[in-house]
Amino acid sequence: MNENRIDHELEELMNQEVEIPEAITKRIEETCRQCKREEEKTGGNVIPMKKRSVWKTVAAVAAVCVIGSTGVMAATGVFSTNKQEDGNQTKYNIEVDKEAIAHDVTVTPQYTVPGYVDELQNEDDSSDNDQQADEAHIKALLESNPDADEQELRENYQGYLEMQTPTSQWFSYATRDSDGNFQGGYSVSVYNAQKLDNIMDNWEGSVFEYQKVAGEEKTSIQNLDTRIFTYKTESGCPMEEILMFNSTEGFVIQISWGLDDKTVVSEDEMKKVAEGLRIDVSDKEISYMTDEKREIYKRIEDLENNMTKLSDDSSDRYAAGISADEVVGIGDTFTGDTLWADAGAGDASYTITDVSVKDAISNEEYGKEHYFDYDGSVAQWVNEDGTLKAHDRLCTPFGSEDSTEENGIHSKYVVVKVKEKNLGKETADMAIPYLMSLVKAEDGHYAYPDKNYSPYGDYRLQGGIADVTTANDAIYFSEADNYKEVKGETVWGEHSLAAGEEKEYTVIYVVDDDQLSNMMLTFDSLKLKREFVDIRQ
């Protein structure tokens, strides 16, 4: 957009005799004072893209009054927002003006809540683990889509993943429990103009959509239009969030924290985080996704969808269930794959040697150090006698988006003993099995349940994987002291076996009483072909 034309249009606008409301007049006066302060100071939190004369900035504010109500974006604006409210639901739609020049923004948190640490500070984005996972996924895509353009997929897969990431920056802070595991915390997310455009295109604005809103405060932080929401997630977790909008430079900052955790952070502390952010707007201009790239990414998305359709997430596969020849029993040894091997490599063997259902267990027999976050997630749900407290869950019929809350659900411990062996010629990564629900039909095949159960509120003893069925991870892993380290953090359940090495270990799951008769284990949850072990009780 031509700057001389902008200057001319704004100057004409300033010469108009316009009755400016008092609220806008105050904004203009504050803008003047702010511009003066920016000229005098040598530093500060907000580093402008370039100096603007006071009259031009004032004109931009006045433009909001004169033409903003017509729905036309102000000349200096990169995006406009449209707030939609429906009962206790609130959603912000953001329309990005791709003709306006937007610059990249970098945010540096300068205030950290006492007792909290940066969860991501030791991460290495170029880790071998990520590369192996990406390569395994690309191979799975090609295997399930034989006609796919392999060169196009490989050349554009990283860009596709980047497009799928809604934020331009993300920070996560948490405390550590007595075992060194992260718990609680808050996050800071940054969205530049390119990411905002992608969000509206790919997520239909759901990133800024709030359910069960209990309160909304309008305020200003760092001279940015700010909203503070109190709401609940779909799973019932109470949350609070700060949204800071800068439509002139083209970015949104989102600070989120939970309200039901033992380590809950106060709103005042979160405001300190927001006020302490260093916001740097660079000279680097934002480039938006081209139509050509959008088409390429759409083709990759189609590959993903087709692979999903071929996997257990499709209606046909769901209806067909699992045939009896895909299922083995307790004590049976079967051949499968190590974690990052090609599907069908057959470089590992597995045996479920024993399964027992227990009303109660003790820390003397199963030490706290082998749990995933015992103090933070498990202890509050265990009675003094070692039995489990009743919990709430959500019930969602298959194919439906409507969930029903169910209360007072009782559970048992399911203790599973596993023996595995690396049949390959090199050290390989392994993973503990997932627990799932499958219902045995009269004709011998195993059907997926017609309802999906998921944890509700602050209940953390059953964590689902990305699946259409009920599934959860083990809360206990006897080899937890030896499980694999990735990016400076330990990845729950992953561990390594040397070539030819055999290992035995114990895992413990929490299963609702009404699901004990449907229990199945799988070691191959991330691939198209699965091996299932029937452990129904």
Side-chain angles (χ1 to χ4, degrees), residues 4 37 62 155 165 167 229 271 301 321 327 386 450 463 530:
N4 291 330
R37 288 195 294 268
E155 289 178 351
T165 304
T167 59
F229 290 98
K271 286 181 178 179
E301 184 179 25
V327 179
D450 57 4
R530 293 185 172 182

Coordinates of all heavy atoms in Angstrom, one line a residue, residues 4 37 62 155 165 167 229 271 301 321 327 386 450 463 530:
N4 N 2.6 7.4 0.7 CA 2.2 8.8 0.4 C 0.7 8.9 0.3 O 0.1 9.9 0.7 CB 2.9 9.2 -0.9 CG 4.4 9.4 -0.7 OD1 4.9 9.7 0.4 ND2 5.2 9.2 -1.8
R37 N 6.2 9.7 25.1 CA 7.1 8.9 25.9 C 8.0 8.0 25.1 O 9.1 7.8 25.5 CB 6.2 8.0 26.8 CG 5.4 8.8 27.9 CD 4.9 7.8 29.0 NE 3.9 6.9 28.4 CZ 2.6 7.2 28.5 NH1 2.2 8.3 29.0 NH2 1.7 6.4 28.0
A62 N -8.3 8.3 15.1 CA -9.5 8.9 14.6 C -10.2 8.2 13.5 O -11.4 8.1 13.4 CB -9.2 10.3 14.1
E155 N 9.2 -33.0 0.2 CA 9.7 -31.6 0.1 C 8.8 -30.6 0.9 O 9.3 -29.5 1.3 CB 9.7 -31.1 -1.4 CG 10.9 -31.8 -2.2 CD 10.9 -31.4 -3.6 OE1 9.9 -30.7 -4.1 OE2 11.8 -31.7 -4.4
T165 N 0.8 -26.0 13.0 CA 1.1 -25.4 14.3 C 0.5 -24.0 14.4 O 0.9 -23.1 13.6 CB 2.6 -25.3 14.5 OG1 3.2 -26.6 14.3 CG2 2.9 -24.8 15.9
T167 N 0.6 -21.5 16.5 CA 1.4 -20.4 17.1 C 2.7 -20.1 16.4 O 3.3 -21.0 15.8 CB 1.7 -20.7 18.6 OG1 2.5 -21.9 18.7 CG2 0.4 -20.9 19.4
F229 N -10.7 -13.8 30.2 CA -11.8 -14.7 30.3 C -11.6 -15.7 31.4 O -10.6 -16.2 31.7 CB -11.9 -15.5 29.0 CG -12.3 -14.7 27.8 CD1 -11.4 -14.2 26.9 CD2 -13.6 -14.5 27.5 CE1 -11.7 -13.5 25.8 CE2 -14.0 -13.7 26.4 CZ -13.1 -13.2 25.6
K271 N -1.1 -11.3 35.2 CA -1.0 -9.9 34.7 C 0.4 -9.4 34.8 O 0.9 -8.7 33.9 CB -1.9 -9.0 35.5 CG -3.4 -9.2 35.2 CD -4.3 -8.2 36.0 CE -5.7 -8.4 35.7 NZ -6.6 -7.4 36.5
E301 N -3.0 -33.0 3.4 CA -4.1 -33.2 4.3 C -5.0 -34.4 3.8 O -5.5 -35.2 4.6 CB -4.9 -31.9 4.5 CG -6.0 -32.1 5.5 CD -6.8 -30.8 5.7 OE1 -6.8 -29.9 4.8 OE2 -7.3 -30.6 6.8
G321 N -14.9 -53.8 13.2 CA -14.2 -54.2 14.4 C -12.9 -55.0 14.1 O -12.3 -54.7 13.1
V327 N -6.1 -61.2 17.2 CA -6.1 -61.2 18.7 C -5.4 -62.4 19.2 O -5.6 -63.6 18.8 CB -7.6 -61.2 19.2 CG1 -7.6 -61.2 20.7 CG2 -8.3 -59.9 18.7
G386 N -5.8 -47.8 50.1 CA -5.2 -48.1 48.8 C -6.3 -48.3 47.7 O -5.9 -48.6 46.5
D450 N -19.8 -48.7 21.3 CA -20.6 -47.6 20.6 C -20.6 -46.3 21.4 O -21.2 -45.3 21.1 CB -22.1 -48.0 20.4 CG -22.7 -48.5 21.8 OD1 -22.1 -48.3 22.8 OD2 -23.9 -48.9 21.7
G463 N -5.7 -41.5 30.7 CA -5.4 -40.5 29.6 C -5.5 -41.2 28.3 O -4.8 -42.1 28.0
R530 N -2.5 -53.7 13.7 CA -2.4 -53.8 15.1 C -2.4 -55.2 15.6 O -3.0 -56.1 14.9 CB -3.5 -53.1 15.9 CG -3.5 -51.6 15.7 CD -4.6 -50.9 16.5 NE -4.5 -49.5 16.5 CZ -5.3 -48.7 17.1 NH1 -6.2 -49.1 17.9 NH2 -5.1 -47.4 17.1

